[in-house]
Amino acid sequence: EDQVTQSPEALRLQEGESSSLNCSYTVSGLRGLFWYRQDPGKGPEFLFTLYSAGEEKEKERLKATLTKKESFLHITAPKPEDSATYLCAVGTASKLTFGTGTRLQVTL
Amino acid sequence: DTGVSQDPRHKITKRGQNVTFRCDPISEHNRLYWYRQTLGQGPEFLTYFQNEAQLEKSRLLSDRFSAERPKGSFSTLEIQRTEQGDSAMYLCASSLIQGHEQFFGPGTRLTVL
């Protein structure tokens, strides 16, 4: 059974304090590792897809990296508007399997 | 707006009633997915369509749940004889093909009293 584990469950950062979120996974037939951002009461918003170990992608203050068993979402100099739940998911031929997310709060 | 849309956004119903939700995917996407999300959890897969064909259903999808996608365009998800455990956010997503990013709608929040 496909499994995704995210850590930490919650993270509180001060503005400008960089950190990383972890996503470890086991899956049969990986068709991509996906990162989403979700604000309260809204649907997940797509951020990145990574397909192979060693791949990296960046968007503004976020950078996602992938190894054979883990992915990291690095947040550099975060701002309060980066506060959200960050979800990691593994994709197979038919579906996404999500972790429970990391709730990030960035304070002034 | 050309994103995924869902209707209604909120639904409150009494236990035992039937409810139906609608999802309109991004127009050129031939895959459409339904997920369910409860508080503090990630979305859980329910079912997906490729064009009008329903290709996979999760064991989470009891026989009280039925989904359709007539003509390969919009989709509906019906829940019969609702139970309090059905209270959740129901999310729809669409994608071009397998392995590509899925784009989610805003969700329908169901509350069963």
Side-chain angles (χ1 to χ4, degrees):
Chain A
E1 186 176 330
D2 303 336
Q3 204 157 18
V4 178
T5 303
Q6 291 188 247
S7 62
E9 288 186 8
L11 181 61
R12 186 182 173 105
L13 299 173
Q14 287 195 320
E15 184 175 16
E17 181 185 1
S18 301
S19 189
S20 294
L21 314 183
N22 176 263
C23 171
S24 61
Y25 62 91
T26 56
V27 63
S28 299
L30 181 70
R31 302 290 179 95
L33 186 293
F34 299 82
W35 283 97
Y36 287 84
R37 169 192 170 127
Q38 188 173 30
D39 293 301
K42 297 189 176 181
E45 175 190 348
F46 171 74
L47 294 173
F48 302 109
T49 311
L50 302 166
Y51 289 105
S52 56
E55 190 175 358
E56 297 184 354
K57 287 193 178 174
E58 288 189 62
K59 179 180 179 179
E60 296 181 353
R61 295 176 294 281
L62 300 177
K63 183 169 81 171
T65 63
L66 182 65
T67 71
K68 286 187 178 178
K69 292 297 181 187
E70 288 181 306
S71 179
F72 294 92
L73 185 65
H74 308 277
I75 303 177
T76 302
K79 298 182 178 181
E81 53 262 42
D82 295 323
S83 297
T85 296
Y86 290 85
L87 294 165
C88 168
V90 292
T92 60
S94 59
K95 65 188 179 189
L96 297 176
T97 299
F98 284 86
T100 54
T102 293
R103 293 189 311 280
L104 173 65
Q105 184 179 12
V106 182
T107 59
L108 293 170
Chain B
D1 189 296
T2 57
V4 178
S5 62
Q6 293 187 244
D7 184 69
R9 295 293 308 279
H10 303 274
K11 179 71 177 179
I12 300 174
T13 191
K14 293 182 179 179
R15 190 176 54 186
Q17 298 295 304
N18 298 346
V19 294
T20 300
F21 310 140
R22 177 183 170 120
C23 171
D24 287 90
I26 294 171
S27 58
E28 62 267 28
H29 286 183
N30 56 15
R31 283 205 168 194
L32 186 149
Y33 309 79
W34 286 98
Y35 292 82
R36 179 171 68 187
Q37 186 176 26
T38 54
L39 201 61
Q41 301 298 311
E44 294 178 291
F45 171 78
L46 293 177
T47 188
Y48 90 95
F49 293 83
Q50 181 153 312
N51 300 313
E52 66 274 11
Q54 187 174 18
L55 296 185
E56 186 170 332
K57 294 192 288 187
S58 163
R59 60 181 180 274
L60 292 175
L61 211 66
S62 77
D63 56 8
R64 296 184 298 105
F65 288 70
S66 63
E68 294 183 340
R69 191 182 183 198
K71 301 178 184 178
S73 56
F74 71 92
S75 176
T76 58
L77 179 68
E78 181 183 17
I79 309 174
Q80 296 182 326
R81 305 180 304 280
T82 52
E83 302 172 356
Q84 287 185 324
D86 297 331
S87 295
M89 174 79 90
Y90 289 84
L91 293 162
C92 175
S94 68
S95 73
L96 275 172
I97 58 174
Q98 64 177 294
H100 274 226
E101 50 268 21
Q102 297 180 20
F103 293 92
F104 283 80
T108 295
R109 168 74 64 189
L110 173 66
T111 303
V112 182
L113 301 176

